[in-house]
Amino acid sequence: MSAPDANGEPKRITRRFPRFTRDTARPEGGGRAAPRDAPAPARQWPILAVLSGVGLGLLLTALDVFRFGTILVGAALIAGAVLRWALPDVGMLAVRSRFTDMVTYGILGAGIVLLAMMAQPDPWLEIPFLDDTLHFTIR
């Protein structure tokens, strides 16, 4: 709880965190990616680049170029992880801490790329133990 000080302002008298959070801190690196006087799209170019790559990948997937489209989606997420690592400020691409964003974008992107490469028919990547596992569990 807070008690008013001599000026009537609430003063913390305990080291405990407040019961209700009034505001949240901006994630590390969540500042603008361009100067303040730049137009809004220029200030948020990192997330626009990632979303454009994902959108183009989804469009290719919808146009029946499944493998290339999904690989592009995964590559865009991996590019987001690289941007999060390389740039000091990435705007709205920063959601959590830098480490958590990089790991999340990287693992999701790599997983999507690997699944796209293993998709049937004619997979580009074959992992032998997966077929043995499938045979043991389902077949």
Side-chain angles (χ1 to χ4, degrees):
M1 291 278 149
S2 297
D5 63 2
N7 297 330
E9 307 254 343
K11 178 183 171 189
R12 267 178 94 160
I13 57 173
T14 179
R15 292 180 49 149
R16 289 179 148 179
F17 288 107
R19 185 176 218 169
F20 299 104
T21 304
R22 303 277 185 232
D23 195 10
T24 56
R26 178 183 293 184
E28 170 191 350
R32 293 179 179 89
R36 176 178 294 250
D37 57 347
R43 290 192 307 258
Q44 297 298 333
W45 72 266
I47 191 139
L48 290 176
V50 172
L51 288 176
S52 297
V54 169
L56 182 61
L58 291 174
L59 179 66
L60 288 174
T61 302
L63 294 175
D64 210 22
V65 190
F66 170 76
R67 195 176 312 265
F68 289 112
T70 51
I71 287 175
L72 184 58
V73 169
L77 288 174
I78 292 171
V82 170
L83 286 173
R84 189 70 174 99
W85 172 73
L87 298 176
D89 292 319
V90 291
M92 291 185 348
L93 189 62
V95 179
R96 303 165 230 46
S97 70
R98 187 178 308 272
F99 175 78
T100 305
D101 282 344
M102 287 179 359
V103 169
T104 304
Y105 295 145
I107 288 176
L108 287 174
I112 290 171
V113 168
L114 286 174
L115 288 172
M117 293 174 68
M118 293 188 305
Q120 297 291 333
D122 302 323
W124 292 355
L125 176 67
E126 292 187 25
I127 302 177
F129 75 87
L130 289 179
D131 191 40
D132 295 339
T133 305
L134 185 64
H135 178 74
F136 178 73
T137 57
I138 295 176
R139 294 183 191 166

